[in-house]
Amino acid sequence: MSLLEEMNQKATALGVPLSAHLDITWRCNERCVHCYLDHEGKGEMTTAEIKDAIRQLSECGTFFLSISGGEPLLRRDCFEILEYARGLRLNVKLKTNAVMIGPKEAARIKQLGIEQVQISLYSHRAEVHDAITKLPGSWRRTIDAARRLKANGVKVSLTNVLMTYNSGHAKAVKRLAEELGVGFAVDPTITPKLNGDWSITGLGISRQELEEIFHTEEFVGDVAEYCAPVSGVDDDILEGHSCSAGHTLAYISPFAEVFPCVQFPMACGSLREQSFREIWWHSAALSELRSVRVRDLHTCSHCAHVAYCSRCPGLAYMEGDFRGPSSQDCEKSYVRTGIPSAARSRAAGRVAGVASGLVQIAGVLHAAS
Amino acid sequence: MASTETYIAQSPDIAASTLGDDTIIMSTLDSTIFMLNSVGTAIWKAADGATPLSRIVGEKVCAEFDVAEDRALADAEEFVAQLAQHGILSVSAQPASPREAL
């Protein structure tokens, strides 16, 4: 078990929100075509409220804090907030489009000991990136900022969100990240808007392209291992949870609302009415979420992919049932292994279940031998 | 006579949090992460730059845990060297001035 896994296991047992994601604003200077937020600024937390939220998180045991938005640097107090969080010795990541990071900001980020700056970069081609962000010149400014941060010794990671607009660009973006000497990650999921509008998910990449990504070593490492179905399901898996949302991860919106995760819009309480500790320990929504084990998932617990599926309970919640499957993750499991998920099989009128999954695995192995 | 004492101080270039009886510490210089057990946590908390390591071991380790002092000091020196290597602790042969001490 890795040290991080050990930490997470201990935090789960103790009920500690080891990681928190804090959006300090939803306002943004870009208007990305796939963005899941609206950009309302009215009612945002004040500087004092944000500092108090961070203090409360720290007192509850948070170690990893992601400060994001919207574009967090649009707030004039962004550096004051970062400085406050670092003063509490939190491990701070900053998620930004970086277009406002000039020489002074880059030096300040280094001086504050920010662990990493995560930047979305949609393409190696400026015109494609700018068409997605709808901010002319944003690619140039983002790339310049990435170079600047790197030159200052700040760890930078570029995230390439895959969609129809930038289809086929991931390898070139990865090469660009390598040239810049910064980290790189692909994100193949376009999530619905938090207001329940699913229309933007239509921008997601095709199954064919997803299959190519999942079968390319430079994106997933050992392809055979990544795409191999896992047939054994033990009690540890069935007694476990889908992900850390609400267990060791909390999300706080710019409006002081607490949720299990940024992609899980199940309201748990407001810091304007209760302390974070009260919400974290006593929210009915969080208690219900934590009571659900993998074995309680009505469809997924019987699915052939249950041992390794990236099932997002937040996306399942947005589909209407957080105990149910998340279609996008069913698709990913299918594309990885070629084996339909229980939800897909059910939809197709076939008998769902581990047994049917194993029959199909056996068929694949037989065909290959 | 030259001092043979070692003084240890927590670096500002870290992130740290308590998790039960343990302490999580990450160097912001090289992102190395450590989870200190209760003995390591006791030493870490006492690392004020002004208290000699031998006194920290005597008062915070041997008084609390069932371990011989020479063995505990040797282990503590190894532990301190490991953290210092990643910039998590600073080590000095002189105590920090009152202003520098935490």
Side-chain angles (χ1 to χ4, degrees), chain A residues 42-241:
Chain A
K42 204 174 166 187
E44 272 180 9
M45 285 191 280
T46 62
T47 310
E49 284 180 308
I50 290 176
K51 286 182 176 177
D52 191 51
I54 294 171
R55 179 190 59 76
Q56 292 188 58
L57 287 169
S58 174
E59 286 175 1
C60 286
T62 295
F63 179 70
F64 300 106
L65 177 67
S66 292
I67 291 188
S68 182
E71 173 45 49
L73 286 157
L74 276 184
R75 280 189 70 124
R76 290 177 195 277
D77 56 4
C78 183
F79 280 101
E80 187 180 343
I81 291 164
L82 293 173
E83 185 174 5
Y84 182 78
R86 283 295 297 129
L88 294 173
R89 296 181 163 190
L90 290 165
N91 177 291
V92 179
K93 283 186 185 170
L94 178 65
K95 296 185 175 186
T96 170
N97 58 38
V99 300
M100 293 172 73
I101 296 179
K104 222 168 63 179
E105 289 78 15
R108 185 87 176 107
I109 287 167
K110 173 61 182 172
Q111 186 245 332
L112 285 172
I114 300 302
E115 167 61 17
Q116 187 185 59
V117 176
Q118 293 183 352
I119 302 171
S120 293
L121 185 73
Y122 302 111
S123 177
H124 59 299
R125 288 169 50 191
E127 71 278 15
V128 175
H129 177 91
D130 290 1
I132 289 169
T133 65
K134 297 184 185 170
L135 180 66
S138 58
W139 184 88
R140 170 49 55 200
R141 290 166 68 183
T142 293
I143 293 292
D144 287 349
R147 285 187 204 282
R148 205 171 276 138
L149 288 161
K150 171 74 181 165
N152 275 273
V154 176
K155 287 186 280 293
V156 176
S157 180
L158 300 179
T159 300
N160 185 211
V161 181
L162 308 176
M163 62 189 107
T164 51
Y165 278 61
N166 58 6
S167 179
H169 290 198
K171 283 184 182 174
V173 177
K174 186 169 188 289
R175 278 197 296 276
L176 177 56
E178 286 163 359
E179 282 167 29
L180 293 168
V182 302
F184 171 81
V186 285
D187 180 355
T189 309
I190 301 289
T191 55
K193 291 194 175 202
L194 293 182
N195 64 12
D197 177 0
W198 282 75
S199 60
I200 54 171
T201 60
L203 296 171
I205 55 173
S206 67
R207 178 178 294 172
Q208 190 184 0
E209 192 174 353
L210 187 61
E211 195 170 333
E212 195 185 320
I213 294 286
F214 282 176
H215 290 78
T216 301
E217 190 179 350
E218 63 183 295
F219 296 127
V220 301
D222 185 332
V223 174
E225 188 183 325
Y226 184 76
C227 295
V230 177
S231 55
V233 178
D234 58 27
D235 279 347
D236 282 351
I237 289 166
L238 294 173
E239 280 303 311
H241 309 285

Side-chain angles (χ1 to χ4, degrees), chain A residues 268-336:
Chain A
C268 300
S270 168
L271 296 178
R272 287 175 169 149
E273 292 164 10
Q274 292 172 282
S275 70
F276 178 80
R277 190 180 294 275
E278 284 174 324
I279 295 168
W280 185 253
W281 284 103
H282 303 297
S283 146
L286 285 174
S287 296
E288 187 186 0
L289 172 64
R290 288 174 193 147
S291 72
V292 177
R293 308 282 162 171
V294 168
R295 71 165 73 252
D296 302 320
L297 303 175
H298 52 72
T299 304
C300 302
S301 60
H302 304 291
C303 179
H305 301 296
V306 67
Y308 54 85
C309 180
S310 59
R311 175 186 177 272
C312 171
L315 288 173
Y317 175 82
M318 293 183 78
E319 286 188 47
D321 179 5
F322 78 78
R323 288 178 176 81
S326 146
S327 304
Q328 286 171 304
D329 292 300
C330 292
E331 174 76 0
K332 283 185 208 162
S333 289
Y334 173 65
V335 169
R336 272 172 75 170

Side-chain angles (χ1 to χ4, degrees), chain B residues 14-25:
Chain B
I14 53 129
S17 183
T18 302
L19 184 59
D21 296 330
D22 300 341
T23 300
I24 307 166
I25 302 180

